[in-house]
Every structure is written in structure tokens, then in C-alpha cells.
Amino acid sequence: MIKSVITSLASLAFFTGVRAQQSGPMIVKADEVVAEIQPTMYGIFFEDINFAADGGLYAELVKNRSFEFTLPLMGWSQPNSDRHSQNENSGFATVIRSDRKHNARFCRVDVKNDERYSLVNEGFRGMGIKEGEQYNLSLKAAKQEGNITKIRIQFIDTTGQVLGETSVSPESNDWKKYTAVLTPVRTVAKAQLKITFEGTGSIDLDMISVFPENTWKNRPNGLRKDLVQLLYDMDPGFLRFPGGCIVEGRTLDRRYQWKKTVGPVEERDLLVNRWNTEFGHRITPDYYQSFGLGFFEYFQLAEDLGAEPLPILSCGMACQFNTGELVPMDQLDPYVQDALDLIEFANGPVDSHWGKIRKDMGHPEPFNMKYIGVGNEQWGPEYIKRYKVFEKAIKEKYPDMIIVSGSGPFPDGEYFEYGMKELKKLNAEIIDEHYYRSPEWFRENADRYDSYDRNGPKIFAGEYAAQSVAIASPENKNNWECALSEAAFVTGLERNAAVVHLTSYAPLMAHTEGWQWTPDLIWFDNLGAYGTPNYYVQKLFSLNKGTHVVPVELEGKAVIGQNELYATASLDKNTDEIILKIVNTSGQSRRQKIVFEGSSRLASRGKMTVLQSDDPEAENSLEHPDMVSPVEKEIKVRKDGMEISMQPYSLNVVRIKNGK
Ligand code: AHR
């Protein structure tokens, strides 16, 4: 939350309490545009890791709703089932595999004693429900033998107390969908769904689902509103999906296949989530992909966010950190066809095969997809061979489509050097670079792109995050030191907007109880969410990117660590403002004179937004979401510039009307 404070320059300096160091003036050359800043400069990277989709953004509350998990009753329990001897003649559930093409399994419940038998779903680490809000239940049922007259559905708390109740009356021996509404009387983070019956006999159940009515844009079966709101507030320039390593799969069979994620939800075949047992320290065997959040929903989300959709597809190579399984070159066609068909799905006319499927899903207008990624984080000659085939096929049919290629998982070393060399030879348009490195690395590499060839491929800084301990260590923290170091680095990305066209922090989201990878930009539980200090860094850069880079210098040099300061400046030609972002990575306040050259009609007041903490280890949390969060102040500006005082460990964003 941004708090408004009006303060004079003198009082700013006074209240810092630490003696401010004064250096020479920082010169902003407001009339020397060096590069355009792409609208895609700051975007978001979405991957279904850490329960980000099922159990997170996708607002479904029932886990394993269609009984398709490897253990088909995972997530379900039968507290009084007669499989336990003391409950003889109560009832039990059997999972049956039908001959249906998709989602073949369903659950047959035999009820012998309707006062005792119940079937309970535990949700994703419980179900978050809110008092007085509406929850829409739907299920499919087909009566078998006997006479079950009612299916009762309740929200219960962990002690079994009923928090809300509804029922449906099954009336047919054929599959039929039933709907009802539950309205909880209490807000609870760990509710469960209890199903009981009236009458005895057997009944088949499938697709047992509960969604909040209150989703993003109130879409039925939609996305969690609070989580999408956090994304929307970042004003992202693009949405990359669906990952990450999830694109590749640990084996080719388990790669992400977008065609299996569109069309009616009940026909989308579930897949084990590749992150479920990836890390011994964070095993989540109940992590699957229902694909309720599939490619249509990703495109729709990108549209809602005003972001360019940027899908990344498998290039016929499974994750090289796992099996590295390869599809032979003479069997690559289906993979290439997937890419071509995806473009038709997103952009094709409604009378094309895939365009019609998009239309039937409710979006006749094209999604105007402009970018497509080939492979996630592949490396080596096998990648280059496959990339060439994709590039040829895509460009032949869709010459305007911009192709994103990858330089592997590391920002340097053999794989990186090889990938960059080969991709440059191929005149690749945009290359994705990944860096999961220490906070020091981020500060020390703020000049990384200063030497990149302005005429070479453009860069997508597609996955990055400072790791406080080590890559993917469960001890990594989203602390202020990491976020501030990323801010220092991002000044270098923006200064080099001539080369760097897209950037995104990764991963995006994590459930506080269901995560596998840390750090993450946004954390949530079943009821709430918060942005980390890293989130606020991303948001401030995104909301204050401007349209054109201009030089900002200290003693004739770009500001890359002198006095532990890092800076970037831009113009916003839409609002006619000068924007200056300065990161003070030192533990001391810094008093800094700023001179704006080439701008003689500056407004007398401007706005300064400060993200700061004296404690490099400070973190936000569900309990204290604003521990490190932006504070807005008004500042005075003289004709020729101004003097600002920057607190220790601070990101400072100044906006002044240019008036030219
Ligand atoms: O962001 C987590 C993982 O890190 C991504 O899935 C992968 O691309 C990278 O190695």
C-alpha cells in the first residue's frame, strides 16, 4: 500500500539519522534519448510450480475432483468406511475405470448405512472459505442400485463442525450434472468437503467441484481474484506460460501438451505435476495438473492483464536436468505441428480447425499472439538442431511471429557460450537468459548488457531471482537484500533497453504449505496473499518504466555501483515526465544533487516513491504484508534540478513533469 507523505528535502535529510554522504551531481541528460523501452520490458513468468495453478490461481477447492490421480482416492477419505472392521456395514467407495476416452475413472459409492458413511475431500492443504460468500458446487451422478434420494454436501472444519450445507437429489440412472450453492457461516482456512447420503444403495460420482462465486471477473470456474489482482497491479507487459521446466516434462510423455488443455474441462486429461517429487526436501505427491487452467485460460488471463501472451512449447527435449529424453529428428513433426496449430488456435479465423475451438470456448476474436518460445531451458547441439526446424516451419507459415529461443539454464559457462554463439549465427530474434544467482552477483552484473551487440539478438531476461543461500535451496529467503540487489541489476536491464526487450522474475507464486521452490515473487495460503519485497521492486520498475531511456551519469559515467548507487533514467512521452530510479545499496543514507540537462521547464514539485528497510533480512509475510512496501512522498524541484536524500538500503523512484 502506498502511503502519502509530504516532506521537504531538508526534513528528508534530517530524519534519516545517519550522516548522508555527498558525491558530485548526478546528471540526467533529458534530451538525449538512447533507446526505446519496449512495452514488454517488465512482464510475468507463470509456471505451475508451488501449487501455483491447482491449489492456487485456479480457484477449484476440491483436490482430485475426477478421481484421476495415480492413487485414485488420494485427497479423499472415508472416516467410517466399512473397510475398517469397526464400521461393518457402513459403506465404501470403489474407483471404476470406464471406457471413456478422457477422464475414464469415476467413483462408485455403496451406502449401506446412511447415518454412518461419508466421503470427505481435504482440499489443497484444506479449503479456504469465507463467511457469507457463495460457493458453487457441481457434481455428476448416476444412480445405480437401491434408492439414494439425496446427496448432502457440507463444509466442515477440522473438528467436524458444519460450516455450510446444501444438497442435491439424484434422479437419473444416467450421468447427470447437479449444481447447488454453499454459503459458509464462518471464515476458515482449512475447511473440508463432506459428502453424505440419504437412502441406501449405490451411486456413481464424478467431477465433484466447488468454486467460489467471487472469482476474477466473476467468471464461473475461474481464477482466484486476490492473486490475479496482484498480477494486474504490476501492469505486466507480457505473460509467459506455462513455464519453466513444466514445458519440457521429466520425460517426453509428461511434457506439457497444450492441445490436451483446451476444450471442455472434463475432457482435459490430468497429468502428474513434474515438481511433485523433484526435490527430496519438499515432496508433494499430491501435486497434479488438472489443466482447468489451460491454454485458453492463459490467453484470456494475458488479455485481462493487458499483457502480450508468450507461450513456450516443448521442442522435443525432456528436461535435461532429468532424463534429457530426445525425440528423434525424423519424428519431430508432431511437435512442430503443435506450434503451428497453437498459432492457429490463438490467431486463426473462426472457420479454421483450431480457431473454431477458440470460438467455441467463447473467444471468437483472435488473441493476437505475437511471440512463441521454442523450448524452455535447453542446451547443446541437439537444441540448436531442433530449434532450426521449428524456426523454418514457423517463419514459412507465419513470417511475423517473433520466436524466442533459449540459452540454457545458466548465465555463463560452456552451455551458455555455445548456445549464444550458435543462436547469433542463426540471427535468432530474442534469446531467453536465466540467472538464479547470489545477491552479490546481481549487484556485480548490473553492467552485463552494456557490452552486448546492439545489432545482435534481443534479450529476454526470462527467469531470474537472487538466491540468498543457493539455487533452489529450501532456505532461500525473499529478503530485502535479494530484492534490493535485483533492483540494482534491473537498472542495468533498463539502461540497456536497446537490447533487453523482456524481463521477468521467477518463479511467480508459491503456496505457503505447498511449495517446492523458493524464493518466489508472491506467496499465498488458502485465504490470503502478499507481495514480497521482490514483488514491489518488480512493480515499481514496471509502473515507472517510461517510454525512452536517457543517460544518467556520475562523473561522466553510467551509475553502476559508484558510492554503492545504481541508477537509470527515462522519459515517459505519454505523460511528459522524467523518471529517475536510484538504488542505494549501502547501509548509509546518501544525499545526492541531481541536475536535469536539456529540460528547462521542470515542474516545481515531483513525486518520490521509496521502497526501503534498514534491515537487509527484512521479509514480508501474510501477517505483515507491508513490512517492505512503497511509501510515496512529494518532493520539491528547483529549476535546474534538486537534491534528494536517500535512506540506507533503498530504491527511490522520482517522477517529475517535464513541461517541455
Ligand atoms: O523457476 C523454476 C525453474 O527454474 C524453472 O522451471 C526452470 O526453467 C528453471 O530451471
Side-chain angles (χ1 to χ4, degrees):
M1 183 193 303
I2 294 183
K3 294 156 240 163
S4 245
V5 182
I6 297 190
T7 179
S8 74
L9 293 172
S11 65
L12 256 178
F14 179 76
F15 282 119
T16 54
V18 182
R19 201 147 65 89
Q21 266 192 27
Q22 174 88 51
S23 65
M26 203 177 266
I27 314 280
V28 178
K29 299 184 171 170
D31 57 352
E32 276 185 34
V33 166
V34 291
E36 206 178 311
I37 299 175
Q38 300 300 314
T40 51
M41 184 72 192
Y42 301 107
I44 49 185
F45 161 97
F46 185 89
E47 175 166 19
D48 188 4
I49 183 172
N50 304 317
F51 278 23
D54 289 284
L57 195 57
Y58 185 54
E60 171 67 86
L61 296 183
V62 179
K63 185 168 74 184
N64 191 13
R65 63 186 173 190
S66 57
F67 307 97
E68 302 295 334
F69 281 21
T70 312
L71 295 174
L73 280 175
M74 189 179 254
W76 296 92
S77 59
Q78 306 168 72
N80 299 316
S81 149
D82 61 15
R83 296 285 151 91
H84 306 291
S85 52
Q86 72 272 26
N87 297 318
E88 226 169 286
N89 289 327
S90 152
F92 62 91
T94 314
V95 174
I96 297 180
R97 183 190 290 271
S98 71
D99 58 2
R100 285 193 310 234
K101 197 167 163 218
H102 302 288
N103 282 331
R105 289 182 185 143
F106 59 86
C107 176
R108 174 158 297 165
V109 182
D110 284 286
V111 182
K112 294 181 202 153
N113 180 341
D114 58 357
E115 286 183 8
R116 299 190 68 181
Y117 181 76
S118 64
L119 187 61
V120 176
N121 188 272
E122 65 187 19
F124 298 90
R125 310 294 182 267
M127 298 177 182
I129 55 171
K130 294 185 181 163
E131 179 184 339
E133 295 207 356
Q134 192 172 310
Y135 291 82
N136 298 325
L137 165 107
S138 64
L139 56 81
K140 284 173 145 187
K143 286 172 75 157
Q144 297 300 315
E145 288 163 5
N147 188 26
I148 292 182
T149 53
K150 204 178 250 187
I151 307 173
R152 192 181 305 109
I153 304 102
Q154 297 169 324
F155 279 135
I156 55 170
D157 68 12
T158 43
T159 68
Q161 202 184 351
V162 177
L163 305 169
E165 176 170 329
T166 191
S167 65
V168 297
S169 303
E171 54 201 29
S172 169
N173 293 85
D174 296 324
W175 283 112
K176 194 176 165 206
K177 183 173 175 179
Y178 299 87
T179 59
V181 171
L182 286 147
T183 308
V185 292
R186 216 161 17 97
T187 296
V188 168
K190 288 188 174 290
Q192 299 186 329
L193 194 76
K194 179 175 176 184
I195 302 177
T196 52
F197 304 86
E198 266 182 38
T200 54
S202 79
I203 187 163
D204 294 343
L205 299 175
D206 205 358
M207 286 302 284
I208 304 172
S209 165
V210 178
F211 272 88
E213 165 76 11
N214 189 16
T215 55
W216 173 253
K217 287 188 180 278
N218 289 327
R219 289 205 182 99
N221 310 327
L223 306 183
R224 242 178 85 166
K225 196 175 185 171
D226 58 338
L227 294 180
V228 182
Q229 189 65 50
L230 280 163
L231 304 182
Y232 185 82
D233 292 345
M234 294 172 76
D235 191 18
F238 66 89
L239 171 67
R240 168 184 170 157
F241 57 90
C245 293
I246 212 159
V247 169
E248 309 157 54
R250 290 161 83 169
T251 59
L252 283 171
D253 276 353
R254 292 189 175 178
R255 72 189 184 279
Y256 196 105
Q257 298 186 59
W258 74 265
K259 288 174 180 167
K260 297 187 174 184
T261 75
V262 298
V265 162
E266 58 275 21
E267 289 175 16
R268 302 183 194 175
D269 288 329
L270 176 130
L271 183 67
V272 66
N273 188 301
R274 60 142 299 137
W275 294 107
N276 75 346
T277 53
E278 180 79 21
F279 296 122
H281 54 262
R282 292 292 303 179
I283 299 266
T284 40
D286 58 340
Y287 197 5
Y288 284 75
Q289 298 178 84
S290 71
F291 297 118
L293 173 54
F295 259 46
F296 178 85
E297 290 77 17
Y298 283 127
F299 278 112
Q300 197 174 43
L301 176 62
E303 185 171 77
D304 291 351
L305 299 175
E308 296 291 348
L310 170 40
I312 308 281
L313 298 189
S314 161
C315 64
M317 300 174 78
C319 182
Q320 289 162 277
F321 288 115
N322 302 131
T323 63
E325 194 184 2
L326 291 174
V327 75
M329 289 303 287
D330 61 0
Q331 291 166 39
L332 193 57
D333 280 3
Y335 293 75
V336 177
Q337 197 57 46
D338 274 358
L340 299 176
D341 291 342
L342 178 64
I343 300 171
E344 184 177 292
F345 176 72
N347 297 350
V350 294
D351 57 1
S352 62
H353 176 78
W354 288 104
K356 179 172 181 316
I357 292 176
R358 182 191 73 239
K359 184 194 105 188
D360 292 346
M361 292 185 77
H363 203 289
E365 309 78 22
F367 281 116
N368 292 318
M369 162 183 163
K370 302 187 186 94
Y371 301 86
I372 190 165
V374 174
N376 169 48
E377 208 178 49
Q378 271 61 55
W379 67 80
E382 296 296 344
Y383 174 60
I384 299 297
K385 272 202 275 184
R386 284 163 180 73
Y387 170 78
K388 282 184 196 168
V389 178
F390 274 82
E391 191 203 32
K392 185 164 180 293
I394 294 170
K395 286 291 181 185
E396 252 168 39
K397 195 158 183 200
Y398 300 103
D400 294 335
M401 191 57 56
I402 302 169
I403 304 179
V404 176
S405 51
S407 59
F410 309 122
D412 43 35
E414 190 190 327
Y415 300 155
F416 176 79
E417 301 298 338
Y418 174 80
M420 289 303 263
K421 182 175 70 148
E422 294 301 316
L423 289 166
K424 273 184 200 160
K425 279 195 227 156
L426 295 171
N427 289 325
E429 293 171 291
I430 299 189
I431 306 180
D432 182 10
E433 296 187 0
H434 294 179
Y435 11 87
Y436 295 99
R437 288 287 186 261
S438 68
E440 297 77 27
W441 184 93
F442 279 86
R443 299 196 294 273
E444 285 162 10
N445 283 273
D447 61 351
R448 178 177 176 89
Y449 295 106
D450 291 0
S451 54
Y452 267 51
D453 178 4
R454 265 47 191 160
N455 301 312
K458 302 304 175 208
I459 297 301
F460 173 21
E463 291 187 33
Y464 69 87
Q467 315 282 299
S468 61
V469 178
I471 298 184
S473 160
E475 303 307 324
N476 283 334
K477 303 285 180 230
N478 279 104
N479 66 27
W480 181 227
E481 186 195 353
C482 289
L484 193 69
S485 305
E486 288 154 9
F489 180 77
V490 177
T491 61
L493 297 177
E494 194 175 280
R495 183 175 57 254
N496 289 289
V499 172
V500 182
H501 280 195
L502 307 95
T503 67
S504 45
Y505 182 100
L508 183 66
M509 287 182 183
H511 191 296
T512 53
E513 292 174 54
W515 61 274
Q516 299 81 44
W517 179 296
T518 182
D520 303 286
L521 203 62
I522 292 167
W523 287 83
F524 61 90
D525 68 4
N526 289 343
L527 288 175
Y530 68 92
T532 56
N534 318 66
Y535 168 85
Y536 286 114
V537 165
Q538 294 291 316
K539 182 173 164 183
L540 283 180
F541 272 90
S542 178
L543 298 187
N544 296 289
K545 63 179 175 297
T547 54
H548 296 81
V549 185
V550 293
V552 50
E553 293 174 353
L554 264 176
E555 287 160 8
K557 291 197 183 118
V559 189
I560 315 172
Q562 304 94 308
N563 290 333
E564 295 169 85
L565 298 178
Y566 298 80
T568 178
S570 58
L571 305 180
D572 189 327
K573 293 207 174 174
N574 298 322
T575 58
D576 200 10
E577 284 172 295
I578 299 181
I579 305 169
L580 176 62
K581 299 185 272 288
I582 312 178
V583 181
N584 176 12
T585 58
S586 87
Q588 289 199 319
S589 39
R590 293 277 190 253
R591 194 126 180 244
Q592 184 62 56
K593 190 169 176 201
I594 320 269
V595 173
F596 294 98
E597 283 182 4
S599 176
S600 53
R601 293 178 48 212
L602 288 176
S604 61
R605 278 173 187 273
K607 198 176 77 180
M608 179 155 147
T609 309
V610 179
L611 188 62
Q612 193 272 343
S613 172
D614 285 336
D615 178 7
E617 304 212 338
E619 292 175 65
N620 291 340
S621 63
L622 284 167
E623 296 73 33
H624 302 287
D626 297 331
M627 194 68 100
V628 186
S629 59
V631 177
E632 214 173 86
K633 306 162 179 186
E634 197 175 87
I635 48 168
K636 286 182 186 162
V637 186
R638 292 190 307 262
K639 267 198 179 146
D640 61 333
M642 60 186 188
E643 204 164 309
I644 57 169
S645 185
M646 292 172 285
Q647 292 169 266
Y649 307 126
S650 59
L651 162 60
N652 307 274
V653 182
V654 172
R655 290 188 82 114
I656 307 167
K657 271 272 176 206
N658 195 4
K660 262 193 81 181

